[in-house]
Amino acid sequence: MLLSIVLPAYNEEQNISNTAEVLGELLAGESIEYELIFISDGSGDATFQEIQKAAEKDSRVKGAEFSRNFGKEAAIFAGLELTSGDAVVVMDCDLQHPPEVIPQMWKLWQNGAEVVEGIKESRGKESLAHKLSAGLFYRIMSRLIKMDMNASSDFKLLDRKVVDVLLRLPERNTFFRALSFWTGFRREYVSYEVRERQFGESKWSSLSLMKYAVTNATSFSTLPLQLVTVMGVLSILFSMVLFVQTLVRYLSGTAVEGFTTVILLILVIGGFLMLSLGIIGHYIARIYEEVKGRPKYIISRTIGDIRKNKNEERQRI
């Protein structure tokens, strides 16, 4: 049985060699047959060159490079498509996802688990701003997709049948973490402590996390559209209360010119309208991207023994 490990990498030249060596030693020591699939997500440094060097040392190291930066989601799905294993692990290539957990996942899979989720016990050392933005992101996503995202991660093992289901999904705007949950299947869990990066810095900023949240929320949930209806109802209720108040004052003879009230109404209703149009516009943009049918990613070159039928299939997508 073969274990494939997918490792998305964006400007991670400092981590490639160490990651390949650490994973290779661990899996060889556990007598697990494996392949490592590195995906360079349009990196601007020497990430792909480092993948080539690692592949020259170990034929089980393989890789691909995107023609430009398509994002982590695209890198994950590209890696899934290029794997050959009976089970697939997705993890970060900076080893913040501890490799020591992989043998536990492998054993759970051998015992019948089809999805093994890595659950964070802690987030490690992060700045206060990053922790707050990450916490807000996970709270928003948990409410939108109706699953607990606070401790979830992209670190998980998938059976081949689960990988095949994910690859058959036609959508271009994907959210791997939520889609793997949506597929169902028999699920087990392992906990882990997030490690500190040995080299480099995190590529996630507070702004990129919020952008990631909005993109994934609209690609996986219609709840934001329902908020437009809620805002409309609130606006109507507010208008009715104001109408009753104005009518009572008019009948009691205490009515005055309502310049301030008119301004407030315009601002409140205008704000609701602009926010509603923004939400609707974002969904229209998602529909536009899906209708165009462009591929999730473009691979410019590969390294290692990646099967030809995979390449031919990728060109047809």
Side-chain angles (χ1 to χ4, degrees), residues 180-238:
S180 62
F181 176 84
W182 171 85
T183 58
F185 294 101
R186 179 180 170 184
R187 197 168 300 264
E188 297 289 347
Y189 302 89
V190 295
S191 59
Y192 68 93
E193 295 277 351
V194 176
R195 284 183 168 184
E196 294 301 309
R197 293 172 61 98
Q198 290 189 351
F199 307 103
E201 297 179 354
S202 173
K203 308 306 183 292
W204 292 99
S205 64
S206 298
L207 180 62
S208 61
L209 269 176
M210 294 308 298
K211 183 179 178 181
Y212 186 65
V214 171
T215 300
N216 290 326
T218 53
S219 67
F220 199 81
S221 173
T222 59
L223 184 58
L225 279 177
Q226 299 172 30
L227 293 178
V228 175
T229 303
V230 173
M231 287 187 291
V233 172
L234 290 176
S235 180
I236 291 172
L237 291 175
F238 181 72

Side-chain angles (χ1 to χ4, degrees), residues 7-298:
L7 299 136
Y10 177 63
N11 292 341
E12 296 286 1
E13 62 179 354
Q14 294 175 301
N15 286 301
I16 300 299
S17 176
N18 179 62
T19 298
E21 182 178 344
V22 169
L23 289 174
E25 290 178 358
L26 172 69
L27 296 171
E30 295 288 337
S31 299
I32 300 174
E33 187 179 354
Y34 69 92
E35 64 174 0
L36 306 181
I37 310 292
F38 288 93
I39 305 295
S40 176
D41 184 19
S43 300
D45 60 4
T47 295
F48 190 71
Q49 286 73 18
E50 290 298 321
I51 297 172
Q52 288 178 313
K53 291 178 182 178
E56 291 171 0
K57 295 179 181 178
D58 186 350
S59 61
R60 291 167 293 190
V61 176
K62 307 169 186 180
E65 183 176 42
F66 286 171
S67 60
R68 65 171 177 82
N69 179 250
F70 283 90
K72 185 178 181 180
E73 293 295 318
I76 289 175
F77 274 83
L80 292 177
E81 189 176 344
L82 296 175
T83 57
S84 305
D86 302 288
V88 179
V89 168
V90 176
M91 65 183 296
D92 293 344
C93 78
D94 55 16
L95 296 185
Q96 285 192 293
H97 295 153
E100 293 78 13
V101 178
I102 296 176
Q104 299 177 41
M105 292 179 163
W106 179 254
K107 290 176 182 177
L108 288 171
W109 173 75
Q110 289 180 316
N111 291 331
E114 294 165 317
V115 178
V116 182
E117 297 275 0
I119 303 298
K120 300 174 186 174
E121 289 186 352
S122 71
R123 296 191 57 84
K125 296 180 180 179
E126 293 178 339
S127 66
L128 179 60
H130 195 277
K131 284 185 177 180
L132 290 175
S133 59
L136 178 61
F137 165 74
Y138 290 121
R139 281 195 294 273
I140 292 172
M141 293 309 302
S142 296
R143 288 181 177 270
L144 289 176
I145 66 178
K146 298 179 181 179
M147 63 172 280
D148 185 10
M149 294 286 294
N150 290 309
S152 66
S153 69
D154 292 326
F155 187 28
K156 59 190 66 186
L157 179 147
L158 306 174
D159 185 85
R160 170 52 55 182
K161 68 176 71 172
V162 183
V163 173
D164 291 340
V165 168
L166 290 173
L167 293 177
R168 285 198 298 267
L169 297 177
E171 63 237 52
R172 264 62 185 175
N173 293 289
T174 54
F175 185 19
F176 170 70
R177 200 176 306 181
L179 285 174
S180 62
F181 176 84
W182 171 85
T183 58
F185 294 101
R186 179 180 170 184
R187 197 168 300 264
E188 297 289 347
Y189 302 89
V190 295
S191 59
Y192 68 93
E193 295 277 351
V194 176
R195 284 183 168 184
E196 294 301 309
R197 293 172 61 98
Q198 290 189 351
F199 307 103
E201 297 179 354
S202 173
K203 308 306 183 292
W204 292 99
S205 64
S206 298
L207 180 62
S208 61
L209 269 176
M210 294 308 298
K211 183 179 178 181
Y212 186 65
V214 171
T215 300
N216 290 326
T218 53
S219 67
F220 199 81
S221 173
T222 59
L223 184 58
L225 279 177
Q226 299 172 30
L227 293 178
V228 175
T229 303
V230 173
M231 287 187 291
V233 172
L234 290 176
S235 180
I236 291 172
L237 291 175
F238 181 72
S239 300
M240 290 178 63
V241 171
L242 200 59
F243 171 77
V244 172
Q245 180 194 38
T246 304
L247 182 61
V248 170
R249 285 190 175 186
Y250 176 78
L251 294 177
S252 62
T254 59
V256 295
E257 293 184 4
F259 179 76
T260 302
T261 302
V262 171
I263 293 299
L264 287 175
L265 274 175
I266 292 174
L267 291 175
V268 171
I269 295 174
F272 279 167
L273 286 174
M274 294 303 293
L275 180 58
S276 301
L277 288 173
I279 293 174
I280 294 171
H282 198 79
Y283 273 95
I284 292 174
R286 298 279 78 77
I287 295 171
Y288 175 65
E289 291 176 1
E290 293 289 339
V291 169
K292 285 189 294 187
R294 291 177 182 171
K296 297 185 185 76
Y297 53 84
I298 300 172

